[in-house]
Amino acid sequence: MYELNGKTALVTGAGKGVGKGIAIELGRAGCDVIVNYNSDRTSAEATVAELKALGRNAIALKGNVAEATEVAELFYQALKTVARIDVLVNNAGVQTWSSLLDLSESDWDRVIDTNLKGSFLCTKAAATHMKVRSDGSIINIGSGCNKWPFPNLVDYSASKGGLENLTKVSAVELGRYGIRVNCVAPGAIEIERTKTELGDYAGAWSALTPLGRIGYPQDVGRAVVFLAGEASSFITGQTIYVDGGLFTRPPWPAEHEKR
């Protein structure tokens, strides 16, 4: 039930980080993968090479998900290459660090356009294709920001909060076509970008996480594999937190004194 043999997935922003981890885990499950990228072709081709080493068919396709014309071209090129797209993973995202009062309009627009509008555009394109077969799985990649407001990440938090409700509305409207829409919300995941956020990223977040460790891209990828396959065939409109319990745990001031 966790095998995806014969299926094809399109993963946006899959050149590195969480997106690459998702693409590789889908490949391990037997899925062929279209690796979308915006500017870093080298990383996308490296992901493709790893997928081919697993015996999967894979191709890198350029496209800025924030632009409707580029999304249309992305899906056009994809469907010239593969017979169908069974799984869409809306992973592409950007993040800026700024307080609310200092945040520029241009940064707000870039984050909302990529993270939220991009997911809308890709969902619409994929669902239009999937409804013909009355089957498909769309998986949005959220964040702890789905649940908790993160300081100095107002645009990012707004985009991920919006993505949570985009997931729910899409699930309700697309269910009649046999299309399922869910969200995976990662916690502290160690990737190239996050390792630069703190001097000891792993140590700082492991101490706050009930399971006592940080996450890795493959942890997110395995949740995506579950939602992409038959094991989750009656699950839609849901968010799965892949966070080791981090965003379930409330602050507890006296806890450190009991250890």
Side-chain angles (χ1 to χ4, degrees):
M1 294 182 74
Y2 295 96
E3 292 183 355
L4 301 175
N5 297 319
K7 292 185 180 293
T8 300
L10 191 161
V11 184
T12 66
K16 53 189 175 183
V18 169
K20 178 177 182 178
I22 291 169
I24 297 302
E25 291 304 315
L26 286 167
R28 291 188 197 281
C31 198
D32 296 330
V33 184
I34 299 161
V35 176
N36 161 254
Y37 70 97
N38 183 24
S39 58
D40 189 352
R41 183 176 182 86
T42 300
S43 293
E45 292 289 3
T47 302
V48 166
E50 289 190 39
L51 287 163
K52 288 183 175 180
L54 293 171
R56 306 280 76 82
N57 293 319
I59 185 173
L61 290 179
K62 188 178 188 304
N64 179 359
V65 299
E67 299 291 339
T69 54
E70 295 198 30
V71 169
E73 180 66 14
L74 168 63
F75 277 82
Y76 173 75
Q77 293 298 331
L79 292 169
K80 281 178 57 178
T81 305
V82 300
R84 66 182 191 270
I85 297 171
D86 303 283
V87 180
L88 167 69
V89 183
N90 285 314
N91 167 77
V94 295
Q95 186 180 79
T96 62
W97 292 89
S98 177
S99 69
L100 170 64
L101 297 182
D102 293 328
L103 179 65
S104 69
E105 182 180 358
S106 60
D107 275 349
W108 169 274
D109 288 345
R110 184 166 68 95
V111 170
I112 297 298
D113 285 353
T114 303
N115 301 3
L116 186 54
K117 188 176 82 169
S119 296
F120 155 69
L121 292 173
C122 290
T123 294
K124 186 176 179 180
T128 299
H129 164 71
M130 292 172 173
K131 68 179 286 190
V132 176
R133 301 191 329 276
S134 297
D135 184 50
S137 177
I138 298 171
I139 301 149
N140 297 319
I141 304 303
S143 162
C145 293
N146 285 39
K147 183 183 290 187
W148 283 7
F150 280 22
N152 297 316
L153 285 173
V154 58
D155 46 358
Y156 186 79
S157 295
S159 72
K160 295 302 183 179
L163 190 63
E164 176 106 7
N165 272 318
L166 175 63
T167 298
K168 294 174 182 177
V169 174
S170 300
V172 169
E173 290 200 14
L174 299 177
R176 73 191 70 179
Y177 306 118
I179 301 169
R180 297 181 298 110
V181 188
N182 291 288
C183 181
V184 172
I189 308 295
E190 188 173 75
I191 57 175
E192 298 92 333
R193 173 180 56 80
T194 59
K195 285 190 289 187
T196 67
E197 294 177 1
L198 292 169
D200 182 12
Y201 181 85
W205 283 106
S206 294
L208 296 173
T209 302
L211 287 184
R213 72 168 177 92
I214 55 167
Y216 300 97
Q218 60 264 34
D219 293 311
V220 182
R222 289 165 187 164
V224 169
V225 168
F226 166 68
L227 290 173
E230 291 303 312
S232 61
S233 62
F234 200 53
I235 298 175
T236 194
Q238 304 304 307
T239 295
I240 296 178
Y241 283 86
V242 181
D243 64 357
L246 176 63
F247 298 114
T248 300
R249 170 184 183 165
W252 194 255
E255 184 175 13
H256 68 281
E257 298 176 2
K258 298 179 181 179
R259 291 186 173 180

